[in-house]
Each structure stands twice: as structure tokens, then as C-alpha cells.
Amino acid sequence: SSELVNQLRQFSKIRPSVQAPILIENMLKDTLKQLQESATSQQRLTLELEVDQLELIGDEAQLKSALMSLGLNALQATQAERGLVQLHAYIATLDEQSCKRSTYKVRPGRFVCFEVSDNGEGIKAELKERIFEPFFTTKAKGEGTGLGLHVLIEAVRSVGGTVDLLSTEGVGTRFVLKLPCQLEGCAPTLTADV
């Protein structure tokens, strides 16, 4: 019961969101560096940037925490083999059809997209429906709170974004965070179907 109390305390922590310019390239390089400290010698991390030094308005601590959570989950999923975890950032334009296919409904427009993918075991089909629920975890008792993905989706949704999950058992998993682009220089590098 003390574990449940600790989870509830963590879940109920309210930290004011700090909206400020985020230098995406710097944040992602720092995130990659931190993830590399948790990787084994058999795991490889890559970073692909199609955003240069683009700034995004948002809460850097929340975004970095979300990317770290996804990255650490990806590293855990690839421990049994020669794992590959990839971070990718790009700009995409979502049209009406793309928005309808998104996990959470968003308006058409330009989005800064952050992908975290791995070549791990993938997520079982029956678990995909519950993956963002609070307190849901597939980890052993004491290894996870089941709050990481729920907090992530709530943070992304609070700024009008969405998170898409693509996973195939035995092949790997890809999470795509899509955040609305509020800056003038936010030209798309990809269109639709992301």
C-alpha cells in the first residue's frame, strides 16, 4: 500500500508548465548523451535531425522527460539483442486525413515531430489499448510506476499535440510525438502520413 501512496503522490504533483523557446538540436543531443549512459555496449543509439537549430515554444523539462522515458523504455526493450534505438526530429504537415488517423485528434497544420523507435520485441496487440492508462505497466513489481506514458500523453495533449504508437511484435516499436509548430520558420520536411 505504501507503493500505491507513492504512485499517487507522483501522479498528483502539479508543476507549473514553463513555456519558453527550446533549441531542439541542443535538447536532443543532451537527451541522447544521457541515454547513452544507460545503454549497454551491445546497444546503439542514433540521432537524426531535420530541424537544424529550430526553436519550439514549450516546456523543455517536460519534453525532455518524455523523450528520456521513451528512450529508456526502448533501451529496456532491446536489452536481449543488439539493440538499436533511434531518435528522429523533423517537421511535418498534417492534413485532414492524417489528423483523423492520429491517436488523439489534432487540427491540420505544421507539427514538430519527435520519433523514438527501437528494434526490440514490440508491444503485444492486447497491450496497445492500455499502454497510456495511468498505473498500467508491463514491468516487474517495483520497476515502474505505470505513470510515464500517461504523463507523457497528457503533457503532449495539453499543448494540442498527439502521440502515435506503431508496434509490431518481434520487429520493434515507434512512438511519434507531434507538437504544433508555432514559429514562422517552421517549414515542413515531410508531408502527411507520419
Side-chain angles (χ1 to χ4, degrees), residues 30-148:
D30 188 47
T31 301
L32 183 70
K33 183 179 176 184
Q34 288 182 333
L35 287 171
Q36 285 171 330
E37 293 172 7
S38 299
T40 68
S41 61
Q42 297 295 308
Q43 293 173 310
R44 191 166 60 101
L45 290 110
T46 65
L47 174 61
E48 183 178 355
L49 292 167
E50 296 182 44
V51 293
D52 297 321
Q53 265 306 357
L54 180 72
E55 286 185 347
L56 172 70
I57 303 298
D59 187 321
E60 183 169 354
Q62 279 186 339
L63 181 56
K64 190 172 178 183
S65 176
L67 294 170
M68 282 295 297
S69 178
L70 291 175
L72 290 170
N73 286 349
L75 286 172
Q76 288 177 344
T78 61
Q79 282 183 343
E81 66 274 345
R82 296 177 68 85
L84 174 63
V85 176
Q86 298 173 299
L87 302 178
H88 182 198
Y90 55 91
I91 308 298
T93 299
L94 301 184
D95 59 17
E96 286 282 343
Q97 293 294 48
S98 298
C99 291
K100 287 178 184 175
R101 287 190 301 269
S102 288
T103 304
Y104 294 94
K105 300 304 173 214
V106 293
R107 295 182 185 177
R110 294 178 299 178
F111 288 77
V112 180
C113 300
F114 299 93
E115 286 187 16
V116 179
S117 61
D118 66 63
N119 66 343
E121 60 212 33
I123 299 170
K124 294 178 182 175
E126 63 268 17
L127 300 180
K128 287 182 196 177
E129 295 294 318
R130 300 192 59 209
I131 205 85
F132 293 111
E133 290 178 13
F135 304 113
F136 177 78
T137 183
T138 58
K139 296 177 183 172
K141 186 174 181 171
E143 288 186 25
T145 62
L147 292 174

Side-chain angles (χ1 to χ4, degrees), residues 147-189:
L147 292 174
L149 292 177
H150 177 72
V151 170
L152 175 148
I153 193 66
E154 291 305 316
V156 170
R157 287 177 65 195
S158 75
V159 295
T162 188
V163 178
D164 292 337
L165 164 63
L166 307 149
S167 186
T168 304
E169 283 186 71
V171 176
T173 301
R174 177 171 58 139
F175 283 91
V176 185
L177 283 65
K178 300 173 186 174
L179 305 177
C181 190
Q182 312 96 333
L183 301 173
E184 288 300 315
C186 197
T189 52

